[in-house]
Amino acid sequence: MSTPPVNTDQLLDYVTSCALPTPWAQFTLHAFIEHSTGKEHLAMVLGDIGDGEPVLARVHSECLTGDVLFSQRCDCGAQLEGALRRIAEEGRGVLLYLRQEGRGIGLVNKIRAYRLQEAGADTVEANLQLGFHADARNYELCKPMLAQFGVRSLRLMTNNPRKIDALTRLGIGVAERVPLLVNRNAFNNSYLNTKQAKLGHMMGPAEVPADAS
């Protein structure tokens, strides 16, 4: 089941793989270790993605509160589930899971940012008040991770034009943007509107959801 390693441009090492059954399909889970930080990054692969055709893909940054703890303050967990479901329905695709919690600021600082948001800051203002960029993520690891599987072109599930630009600058083709609009609710409505207004996310019409109760 293991995939032979390829040249990773000295950014990370490919380690190993295993079968990962999920509610939607049995994926193959691949593990990488980043040289500079020691962080462990993952790729979930389904089907033959190295045949030269554009691959349905999601580049997902870790969000423990949304992905694991079911937080409704963001749309991250729903995006993760939605992306895996779509890949399973298509029978072919890849999800890169990058350890970039809180748009790159880390878990504890994300909780600090949440506290500032409760005091009135929006998600961008909170990061800036803590001394970080609005979005400190780096996508350079995507190129060697995708090269591991022979992927050169994506049908990328994202609402974030900056992510498309970053991947394109790395030489990764984005043949299509696939919208991933999920889980707008009373708790994350302002957050999603801020991502649209200040970070350029393509969220569609901003609608105020029904009361959470």
Side-chain angles (χ1 to χ4, degrees):
M1 181 178 294
S2 295
T3 300
V6 299
N7 183 351
T8 58
D9 297 328
Q10 308 304 311
L11 292 175
L12 76 172
D13 288 324
Y14 175 80
V15 182
T16 190
S17 65
C18 69
L20 185 71
T22 75
W24 312 286
Q26 179 165 296
F27 290 80
T28 302
L29 182 66
H30 300 267
F32 299 79
I33 296 180
E34 184 179 357
H35 291 172
S36 62
T37 65
K39 288 183 178 180
E40 299 155 332
H41 305 279
L42 303 171
M44 294 177 66
V45 174
L46 183 66
D48 180 8
I49 63 172
D51 60 3
E53 294 298 316
V55 176
L56 183 64
R58 167 77 179 159
V59 176
H60 190 89
S61 296
E62 178 184 36
C63 175
L64 187 140
T65 50
D67 298 343
V68 179
L69 301 181
F70 314 109
S71 171
Q72 297 298 291
R73 298 182 68 138
C74 62
D75 55 346
C76 302
Q79 285 188 318
L80 177 62
E81 179 176 336
L84 293 175
R85 187 187 302 275
R86 290 191 190 186
I87 291 170
E89 290 171 351
E90 189 152 310
R92 175 178 178 269
V94 57
L95 184 139
L96 302 185
Y97 195 87
L98 305 182
R99 308 296 298 278
Q100 302 193 101
E101 180 72 56
R103 295 204 299 274
I105 70 174
L107 180 59
V108 171
N109 283 321
K110 183 171 78 170
I111 295 171
R112 291 188 176 112
Y114 279 167
R115 186 67 174 176
L116 291 173
Q117 290 171 42
E118 290 172 357
D122 64 34
T123 183
V124 169
E125 292 166 348
N127 276 25
L128 295 177
Q129 287 177 28
L130 290 172
F132 298 104
H133 294 292
D135 190 340
R137 289 176 293 182
N138 188 325
Y139 298 103
E140 66 178 355
L141 295 178
C142 295
K143 186 172 184 178
M145 290 176 77
L146 292 170
Q148 177 72 36
F149 311 109
V151 175
R152 297 182 179 179
S153 179
L154 307 177
R155 294 168 49 227
L156 187 65
M157 290 181 279
T158 187
N159 307 319
N160 184 358
R162 298 184 183 192
K163 187 180 294 184
I164 297 172
D165 291 343
L167 296 179
T168 301
R169 288 196 300 271
L170 289 167
I172 301 168
V174 178
E176 178 186 358
R177 182 186 78 88
V178 179
L180 194 57
L181 300 168
V182 290
N183 194 38
R184 182 181 284 272
N185 63 67
F187 299 105
N188 68 20
N189 190 58
S190 177
Y191 164 80
L192 296 179
N193 288 345
T194 298
K195 287 208 298 185
Q196 180 178 2
K198 292 191 174 183
L199 297 175
H201 287 221
M202 295 172 277
M203 305 301 298
E207 299 178 357
V208 178
D211 187 86
S213 60

